[in-house]
Amino acid sequence: MLNKININNPALYPILLLSFIFFTFSITDILKGNGYLAVYIAGILVGNSKITHRKNIYTVMDGLAWLCQIVMFLCLGLLVNPHEMLEVAAVALLIGIFMILIGRPLSVFLCLLPFKKINMKSRVFISWIGLRGAVPIIFATYPVVAEVEGSNVIFNIVFFITILSLIIQGTTVSTAARLLRLSTPLVKTGNEFGVELPEEIDTKELLDMTVTEAMLEQADTLKDMELPQGTLVMIVKRGNEFLIPNGTLLLHAGDQLLLISEKDQEKAKIPD
């Protein structure tokens, strides 16, 4: 529907998508389903599809997500009393340790049984990651709102366990990945110019390159520089100045070049 509805103002597309979110949650709730799960699955489907004005929608939704997180944690902070945490610390600690060492690993291994291609190291890593977000705390507020007897104790226990998981598992994710040899080098994405191609152009990519003294010894103009076939220099940034590239432009050390190339080009051929 996002791709078929023609709206003259691109700023209205994020609002349209937001209305679909409320619609998905409401209709699922009316049908006695899980509205949160429905929105989550819908988000996965939309996020992996080609939609019009994708970058504008992503920017707005990212801002809304951060705003919701700020409001959510502010509200959760108002519900928590530190002295009540101490009262349930012993029980919550035992439950938390059980969840971290037995409960979650067991559930993860059982759920991943059909996926034969996932190796043992990956299964162990997934088991260790744990749930460190505010979602379990949000769900723990439901019995509090419904005024269920003992709901405050449940809320405090869930809050304590989440904080425990955050401290123990959340701070050791990178370490666990390194120990299991699952960490990969950080891959740079995007470019320093802040320029992006439209979503429809999926066969091209933008890269940036900084001119070095070693490169200038081999070629000091664009026409003499050996770039991969199908790669063009779009603009040259020299300090705070932007220059229109041409073959005779004399390059300086430190110049930044914005390149456009085919995605299947071998990046190794681009000078470092």
Side-chain angles (χ1 to χ4, degrees), residues 108-169:
V108 168
F109 274 82
L110 289 175
C111 291
L112 294 181
L113 282 178
F115 304 95
K116 304 298 183 183
K117 293 184 179 180
I118 300 179
N119 58 39
M120 182 58 65
K121 288 184 178 180
S122 298
R123 294 170 191 262
V124 172
F125 180 69
I126 296 172
S127 300
W128 181 250
I129 292 175
L131 297 174
R132 302 171 308 282
V135 174
I137 305 175
I138 293 292
F139 285 135
T141 62
Y142 279 36
V144 176
V145 175
E147 298 182 350
V148 176
E149 185 178 356
S151 58
N152 288 327
V153 176
I154 295 175
F155 175 82
N156 291 330
I157 291 175
V158 172
F159 192 92
F160 189 99
I161 293 173
T162 303
I163 298 300
L164 182 69
S165 175
L166 176 65
I167 295 174
I168 296 178
Q169 295 172 290

Side-chain angles (χ1 to χ4, degrees), residues 44-61:
I44 293 176
L45 294 175
V46 174
N48 287 279
S49 303
K50 290 184 178 180
I51 57 175
T52 184
H53 300 292
R54 182 187 184 90
K55 290 182 174 62
N56 291 338
I57 292 174
Y58 174 83
T59 301
V60 173
M61 290 299 171

Side-chain angles (χ1 to χ4, degrees), residues 95-106:
I95 297 175
I97 293 175
F98 173 81
M99 292 291 294
I100 293 173
L101 299 179
I102 301 176
R104 179 175 173 82
L106 181 62

